[in-house]
Amino acid sequence: EHSSIVIHEISKLQSPEQLWSPYDWYHDMIVNNPIYYDEKQNVWNVFRYDDVNRVLSDFKLFSSIRKRSVSPIPPVITRVDINSTDPPIQRDIRKLVSSAFTPRSLKEWEPRIRGIAKELIDNMKQMNKPDMISDLAVPFPVTVISDLLGTPRQDLHYIKNWSDILFFPNSEVDVTDQAKRKYRAMSEFNEYLLPIVKEKRQNPEQDIISDLTLAAYEGTQLTDEEVVTFSLGLLAAGNETTTNLLGNMFYTFAYEQKGIYQEILSNRSLISNAIEETLRYRFPITLDRVLTMDSDVLGVPMKKGDVIVIWLGAANNDAEQFPEPNKFDIHRENSNKHLSFGKGPHFCLGAPLARLEAQIALECFIEAFADIVPTETFNPALHLHKGTQNLLTLPVELKIV
Ligand code: HEM
């Protein structure tokens, strides 16, 4: 049996054009195959909004304690494995850092986050050929998350590089090589963080790594190794996802619906729904859970131990929940009912941060640029991060205010 689940093998989205535009396939699965068993990967798949919602909300039946996963990241072996535990343990782990990510604590960070965005955007004003990915969507989140954690600025490129390797999607080709690369990145990342954690334990500062060295768990302090694990998880999780959110949002403005940017310029209260609609419309995430007992709550008999793959991108394009789902509509009233941050006990801890970052990035961008327009030749399907719906590059032309 495979230890990882290869999403590609299930979806049959093969060409770059299909990956970039999976909507017909989502629709087909929602209508014709909403609970689909894939024999080769030996997993169930759920696509409909209500089913996805149900699976994620019911952790007693659909557990996160699992051996196989779509997640390409090697498993964690300390007590603080937030991703692969269920409540009540998961709740206790989460409490260790949850206070740092509330909208209230983030208020204190807001000026620094805004400073980082402004600096990057100011630099873009000087550029002949600005690229929304490499000049903003990549450096902004990695700088923010590493500032929050308290790792040195000069090391950002290492952190970004390790995160990229860890998140690289599973594929059937060169499984062993890939696993090796991931384990190497994981151990380098661990080795990098260990002395930083030790130093902060001696001399705590105002940052999340320092907070973690002081935090108590099950009556004892977290060990250095546990703080490392947790910090690594936060550094990696807060990175690529936010890059994709920004990239996909600016793509839509520049290339897909040219009126929207002007509309937002003249009415900034539309910013937050534009962000939510981006998360709904173009955000491909899959999660997985395992059945804790035999059940037919999804309408077909499933067995204890069966694995379920959850297609958030499909659920977000379910016409039952979002009428005319293929339309990117910043006036949609329920955009924020999307499931891109998950649902239930594991609901993304970083959601308030990701939302704040996107809000600030767009506010600063609007201050600087009167318009964002396409370059002539760009074809998104030819510039995807291998096997994903995420852009590696996004050249645009910017009109300075
Ligand atoms: C969990 C998506 C940004 C930290 C999750 C989950 C999703 C998700 C779907 C649920 C996983 C599950 O149910 O198994 C996203 C998206 C983001 C984003 C779409 C950006 C647009 C961030 C950021 C952080 C972060 C900026 C920063 C620290 C976490 C953590 C968890 C998590 C720690 C685990 C929570 C738990 O298991 O209790 N995220 N995330 N995420 N996310 Fe995010």
Side-chain angles (χ1 to χ4, degrees):
E1 196 181 10
H2 309 262
S3 60
S4 56
I5 301 162
V6 185
I7 290 297
H8 276 357
E9 294 290 318
I10 301 166
S11 79
K12 311 287 182 290
L13 294 170
Q14 298 299 351
S15 70
E17 286 74 17
Q18 289 169 322
L19 280 162
W20 177 243
S21 221
Y23 305 103
D24 289 346
W25 182 72
Y26 288 165
H27 181 72
D28 180 48
M29 295 313 274
I30 283 171
V31 173
N32 301 314
N33 258 317
I35 312 281
Y36 165 71
Y37 184 72
D38 185 274
E39 301 209 344
K40 192 158 170 242
Q41 295 295 312
N42 189 18
V43 293
W44 294 98
N45 294 271
V46 295
F47 301 92
R48 286 203 311 233
Y49 188 92
D50 289 344
D51 293 337
V52 167
N53 205 358
R54 157 124 221 187
V55 170
L56 292 178
S57 303
D58 186 354
F59 68 88
K60 289 196 173 136
L61 186 53
F62 303 101
S63 171
S64 289
I65 304 173
R66 59 225 196 263
K67 295 198 182 71
R68 298 178 63 208
S69 178
V70 296
S71 167
I73 301 175
V76 164
I77 27 179
T78 70
R79 288 186 300 173
V80 290
D81 183 3
I82 193 170
N83 287 306
S84 315
T85 45
D86 292 332
I89 292 175
Q90 176 262 355
R91 210 177 291 135
D92 291 341
I93 299 171
R94 198 171 157 112
K95 268 197 214 125
L96 291 167
V97 285
S98 56
S99 67
F101 291 96
T102 60
R104 223 227 251 130
S105 330
L106 290 173
K107 266 262 164 250
E108 291 170 28
W109 286 92
E110 196 176 321
R112 272 177 82 174
I113 298 176
R114 198 171 292 275
I116 295 165
K118 263 186 85 92
E119 194 181 325
L120 291 165
I121 287 168
D122 277 348
N123 290 341
M124 293 182 83
K125 288 187 193 163
Q126 327 295 329
M127 293 177 186
N128 279 332
K129 295 190 167 175
D131 188 295
M132 295 309 299
I133 306 293
S134 57
D135 299 324
L136 183 64
V138 165
F140 180 46
V142 70
T143 310
V144 171
I145 195 68
S146 93
D147 268 21
L148 280 167
L149 272 286
T151 55
R153 276 276 176 100
Q154 71 267 21
D155 301 337
L156 288 180
H157 57 286
Y158 294 118
I159 292 174
K160 173 67 186 157
N161 188 35
W162 288 319
S163 309
D164 279 356
I165 296 172
L166 290 174
F167 269 94
F168 202 81
N170 292 331
S171 88
E172 291 281 275
V173 210
D174 76 346
V175 197
T176 355
D177 276 3
Q178 238 178 58
K180 271 191 208 143
R181 266 201 302 280
K182 283 173 198 261
Y183 276 93
R184 191 179 323 128
M186 192 82 153
S187 75
E188 286 174 10
F189 206 164
N190 274 298
E191 278 167 35
Y192 163 79
L193 286 170
L194 191 59
I196 295 176
V197 169
K198 287 184 188 295
E199 164 62 23
K200 287 186 192 288
R201 196 186 286 284
Q202 297 304 316
N203 306 297
E205 292 171 82
Q206 297 287 0
D207 57 50
I208 291 174
I209 294 182
S210 300
D211 291 351
L212 283 169
T213 64
L214 299 167
Y217 182 66
E218 294 175 332
T220 58
Q221 279 199 326
L222 293 178
T223 65
D224 289 342
E225 287 70 23
E226 287 165 344
V227 176
V228 165
T229 306
F230 213 138
S231 307
L232 188 157
L234 292 171
L235 284 164
N239 223 322
E240 180 158 333
T241 44
T242 316
T243 295
N244 295 335
L245 166 57
L246 295 173
N248 290 344
M249 180 171 76
F250 285 109
Y251 174 82
T252 309
F253 296 166
Y255 287 89
E256 220 167 45
Q257 284 205 33
K258 288 175 201 145
I260 293 185
Y261 187 69
Q262 294 309 323
E263 202 183 337
I264 294 174
L265 264 183
S266 61
N267 180 2
R268 294 181 189 193
S269 70
L270 295 169
I271 289 178
S272 70
N273 215 48
I275 295 165
E276 298 305 313
E277 181 66 353
T278 304
L279 284 162
R280 183 198 71 81
Y281 174 68
R282 183 174 282 134
F283 215 92
I285 294 193
T286 45
L287 299 174
D288 48 72
R289 297 291 190 265
V290 60
L291 265 287
T292 57
M293 61 185 105
D294 295 2
S295 169
D296 57 6
V297 287
L298 294 178
V300 294
M302 293 177 171
K303 291 270 175 229
K304 178 178 178 175
D306 282 0
V307 174
I308 303 193
V309 173
I310 301 149
W311 294 80
L312 301 183
N316 290 338
N317 282 276
D318 184 343
E320 292 272 321
Q321 182 70 20
F322 304 104
E324 292 188 77
N326 284 9
K327 200 169 143 207
F328 182 91
D329 176 7
I330 60 169
H331 300 286
R332 192 182 286 278
E333 277 172 12
N334 63 348
S335 300
N336 66 357
K337 293 280 187 294
H338 68 74
L339 297 169
S340 290
F341 290 123
K343 176 94 181 186
H346 289 276
F347 181 83
C348 177
L349 183 69
L353 175 62
R355 286 178 160 136
L356 181 65
E357 287 181 55
Q359 176 86 27
I360 288 175
L362 192 45
E363 284 171 6
C364 294
F365 194 84
I366 281 172
E367 294 293 327
F369 300 111
D371 209 356
I372 172 171
V373 296
T375 61
E376 269 157 43
T377 50
F378 183 67
N379 175 357
L382 300 180
H383 299 280
L384 297 180
H385 206 229
K386 188 171 175 269
T388 71
Q389 198 185 5
N390 301 316
L391 294 168
L392 276 173
T393 172
L394 179 56
V396 292
E397 282 175 29
L398 301 172
K399 307 265 186 289
I400 295 177
V401 165

